[in-house]
Amino acid sequence: MRFNFITLFPEKIESYFSSGIPGKAKNNKVIEVHTVHLRDFAANKHNKVDDTIYGGGPGMLIQVGPVYRALESLGEHKGIVVLPSPSGELFDQDLARELYSQTRSLTLISGYYEGIDHRVSEYLIDREVAIGNYVISSGDLASLVVADCISRLVPGFLGKEESLLEESHNEEEELEYPQYTKPFEFMGWTVPEILVNGNHEEIRKWRQKNRKTRNHP
């Protein structure tokens, strides 16, 4: 699986994929990560990629031209183009699986400032997604959330495939059950006895009974 990130801060993306499970997956070539520096596609000597808003308003918008040229530079590796945006469809596990089933190359465009010229949404992307009903200061964070979630569907990313099967949100309405580790007792707080009795069938039933249910708005 290949991920392309169109960003003003390639170092943020590269830092995330330099350690932990994502770093290991990248080093083992389970996933590919490519950053595209948006300023490399500015059409001016100052490498400026934003400008004021037509009709007035505070802040600056990312221009459509640099985004277009950055996407063109990817050629056949562009794949499905996704723009994380507050106005997009909710990104959830079902959508992650859908995107993974449709492509092995995904391009994510990070927004900044007041956003991106709307012509990017109109003409240059395939999907617009929102990671939640809140505002963050960098589109890179949203792009990484999308990439990380889809990465976990790639065989070999987690190492043990049973980890993926037990993950939260793999059932339509149920989340993961409570889990504990040693010590058995800490400050008077103990682990449920059923989890240490060695009866795997009873443990399975307890876990199923104690799965949390997803809260809907």
Side-chain angles (χ1 to χ4, degrees):
M1 185 76 187
R2 172 181 171 129
F3 295 96
N4 306 304
F5 294 86
I6 296 179
T7 173
L8 287 177
F9 303 99
E11 64 276 9
K12 288 184 180 180
I13 306 300
E14 292 160 2
S15 175
Y16 182 78
F17 287 99
S18 67
S19 61
I21 292 175
K24 185 176 182 180
K26 179 174 177 288
N27 290 338
N28 291 338
K29 303 188 185 304
V30 174
I31 59 172
E32 294 181 44
V33 177
H34 298 267
T35 56
V36 180
H37 199 325
L38 192 58
R39 293 195 190 280
D40 290 342
F41 299 92
N44 55 80
K45 64 180 181 180
H46 299 295
N47 295 326
K48 183 180 178 183
V49 295
D50 61 331
D51 214 323
T52 54
I53 302 172
Y54 277 122
M60 308 282 275
L61 287 182
I62 297 291
Q63 298 168 299
V64 62
V67 176
Y68 172 81
R69 291 187 287 273
L71 287 170
E72 287 294 294
S73 74
L74 292 168
E76 62 182 11
H77 298 297
K78 181 171 64 175
I80 292 179
V81 181
V82 174
L83 174 65
S85 163
S87 60
E89 60 186 308
L90 180 64
F91 181 75
D92 58 13
Q93 195 68 26
D94 288 338
L95 182 51
R97 283 192 286 262
E98 179 184 339
L99 290 170
Y100 178 64
S101 71
Q102 292 175 347
T103 186
R104 288 299 175 267
S105 187
L106 191 75
T107 297
L108 294 146
I109 304 171
S110 296
Y112 308 92
Y113 314 126
E114 288 300 311
I116 299 180
D117 188 304
H118 189 63
R119 286 168 289 188
V120 171
S121 297
E122 290 181 294
Y123 303 110
L124 299 181
I125 68 169
D126 299 301
R127 303 292 284 263
E128 190 170 0
V129 304
I131 62 169
N133 188 26
Y134 47 84
V135 179
I136 54 178
S137 60
S138 171
D140 290 319
L141 296 174
S143 292
L144 285 169
V145 165
V146 173
D148 186 275
C149 183
I150 295 175
S151 291
R152 298 174 72 85
L153 301 174
V154 180
F157 183 85
L158 292 176
K160 294 183 178 180
E161 298 310 311
E162 59 266 30
S163 296
L164 184 59
L165 294 176
E166 290 292 322
E167 285 280 84
S168 297
H169 300 287
N170 274 331
E171 297 292 334
E172 186 174 350
E173 294 296 330
E174 293 179 335
L175 304 183
E176 203 163 16
Y177 44 77
Q179 299 185 85
Y180 304 84
T181 188
K182 297 176 181 178
F184 175 77
E185 184 273 335
F186 179 76
M187 294 181 62
W189 310 326
T190 59
V191 177
E193 287 283 351
I194 196 169
L195 298 179
V196 296
N197 69 6
N199 188 318
H200 296 293
E201 179 60 19
E202 288 186 6
I203 291 172
R204 184 193 66 79
K205 290 179 179 178
W206 182 91
R207 286 175 169 173
Q208 185 61 34
K209 180 181 178 181
N210 287 278
R211 279 184 180 272
K212 296 179 181 179
T213 302
R214 185 179 305 170
N215 293 319
H216 291 281

